[in-house]
Amino acid sequence: MIDTLEAVARLDPGKNRPFFSATHQEIASAATTDIYFVKTMEILDHQGLKDIPVTAEIFPRRPGVFAGLPEMLALLPAKGLEVWALAEGEEFLAKEVIMRIRGPYGAFGLLETPLLGIAASSSGWASAARAIKNAAGDSSVTCFGARHLHPAVAPVMERSALIGGLDGASCILGARLAGRKPSGTAPHSLILIMGDTVAAAKAYHQAMPPEELRLVLADTFKDEAEETLRLARALGDDLFGVRLDTPSERGGVTPELVREIRCRLDMENFTNIKIFVSGGLDPMRLQVLKEAGAAAFGVGSYISAAPPIDMTMDLKEIKGSPIAKRGRIPGVTPNPRLKLIRTE
């Protein structure tokens, strides 16, 4: 554990380190904490106060959806602490206590920075996912956000999106961490290499196992409506749906385009073929496209770029006596929604 200035000075991240992201061991050893917590520990140890019993509370600055609990618990010692928390996926209010920790300060005080960081980022992503899913209603939504983040945290983001309520995630590790199967079919690169959308669709159909959805991009070479009908006629009942991901250079996916494609499919009795839309979606745009006939969605940057929800940890009791800094109310903050997660 890096709990002294001497330990900080000895820390050698390695000159030829291939990736700059923190390892699991570095996170657990407090290598990612703020230096002032190390100084605090050293001073308290010098004063014989390092293990003074305290009660700490973590609360958010704005409303959201709680995520990140397993990682937060993994940071905390398995014994010696009493931990209360909301369940993952629960919505919280601004300044509502989401976690309460009771025990010796030396057992967890050094880890305040990573504890808050996990809750802040994970809850921010989960909250954005909840907003998207609320807009989508019964329509399926898959998270496509991994490409917008550093790969070290992309799986955390996609797992958080699933906690927030999304139906699937394309990032392999993110989906597997949540106990799900990764979702996704094939990118534009396959169609570009094959040279024709229908040829790529047939190749996919031949190579992929039956349980993989036949969902094909319809915006690579030709007009989306024309390409959709070509795919429908070629694959028939085997075609689950088409994905529209028209770039902004061509105006993006519009409600009018979705309506036209839905109408043309229905006119040829391809009523079971679904329209999947991706590309720069937010809750408002998603709702408009759903009303136009889109049945499922892929959302990336709205979730991956969601701002973290600022989290704060306050000491509210020391040796059982209520205390707080100015502006805060001393003593434990009542919250009957907290559940006892771990006992001393």
Side-chain angles (χ1 to χ4, degrees):
M1 185 66 74
I2 302 174
D3 56 359
T4 66
L5 292 180
E6 183 181 353
V8 172
R10 288 198 308 266
L11 179 63
D12 180 10
K15 294 181 179 179
N16 298 317
R17 186 180 182 127
F19 301 108
F20 299 136
S21 51
T23 66
H24 293 180
Q25 178 57 36
E26 286 169 333
I27 295 171
S29 68
T32 66
T33 202
D34 292 305
I35 188 65
Y36 46 78
F37 288 112
V38 174
K39 294 179 179 179
T40 298
M41 285 297 167
E42 199 157 6
I43 293 167
L44 290 177
D45 189 40
H46 186 266
Q47 296 294 314
L49 296 171
K50 184 175 180 179
D51 291 323
I52 191 168
V54 303
T55 300
E57 293 181 342
I58 297 175
F59 63 88
R61 294 290 182 171
R62 59 182 174 87
V65 176
F66 183 39
L69 179 60
E71 288 188 306
M72 296 174 77
L73 292 175
L75 268 182
L76 297 171
K79 295 182 179 180
L81 295 177
E82 181 181 285
V83 181
W84 298 71
L86 295 181
E88 279 199 303
E90 283 197 81
E91 296 185 6
F92 52 71
L93 302 174
K95 298 190 176 182
E96 178 180 6
V97 177
I98 63 169
M99 178 176 282
R100 181 183 298 129
I101 306 170
R102 181 173 283 132
Y105 183 73
F108 69 93
L110 190 63
L111 299 167
E112 178 174 333
T113 302
L115 281 170
L116 297 182
I118 289 169
S121 291
S122 300
S123 298
W125 292 320
S127 301
R130 181 66 54 84
I132 284 288
K133 186 56 183 174
N134 286 343
D138 58 357
S139 296
S140 177
V141 185
T142 301
C143 187
F144 283 175
R147 65 181 55 205
H148 305 303
L149 286 176
H150 191 287
V153 295
V156 185
M157 179 276 298
E158 297 232 338
R159 178 190 176 277
S160 298
L162 292 170
I163 294 297
L166 262 58
D167 303 282
S170 63
C171 175
I172 296 169
L173 183 55
R176 297 305 296 155
L177 285 170
R180 308 281 192 90
K181 178 183 176 181
S183 302
T185 52
H188 289 93
S189 57
L190 173 65
I191 299 172
L192 290 168
I193 292 170
M194 294 292 298
D196 177 76
T197 300
V198 172
K202 288 181 176 179
Y204 185 98
H205 184 46
Q206 293 167 2
M208 290 294 102
E211 63 270 17
E212 295 295 331
L213 295 179
R214 274 56 180 163
L215 178 65
V216 185
L217 282 159
D219 59 5
T220 307
F221 287 120
K222 301 178 183 294
D223 172 80
E224 293 87 345
E226 177 187 353
E227 203 77 293
T228 293
L229 292 177
R230 290 182 69 230
L231 287 165
R233 293 163 186 160
L235 270 68
D237 292 338
D238 290 321
L239 182 64
F240 176 80
V242 294
R243 177 157 75 95
L244 306 179
D245 192 54
T246 306
S248 58
E249 291 86 347
R250 297 300 298 269
V253 181
T254 65
E256 292 76 16
L257 177 61
V258 173
R259 289 192 189 95
E260 179 188 350
I261 292 175
R262 182 73 270 161
C263 180
R264 291 184 181 277
L265 284 169
D266 293 346
M267 288 176 66
E268 295 200 23
N269 294 319
F270 295 121
T271 55
N272 292 330
I273 294 177
K274 303 184 184 303
I275 300 173
F276 185 102
V277 178
S278 59
L281 299 180
D282 58 26
M284 184 175 297
R285 186 159 175 252
L286 186 150
Q287 282 185 317
V288 172
L289 292 170
K290 179 179 179 178
E291 292 170 1
F297 304 90
V299 181
S301 59
Y302 181 83
I303 297 169
S304 63
I309 297 178
D310 288 356
M311 298 282 175
T312 298
M313 178 188 285
D314 273 0
L315 294 187
K316 302 303 293 289
E317 290 180 337
I318 296 180
K319 292 200 296 188
S321 298
I323 197 169
K325 70 177 186 180
R326 291 179 59 205
R328 306 277 165 76
I329 299 174
V332 169
T333 306
N335 186 356
R337 299 207 300 139
L338 295 179
K339 304 298 182 186
L340 182 62
I341 304 296
R342 185 181 293 170
T343 59
E344 296 183 61

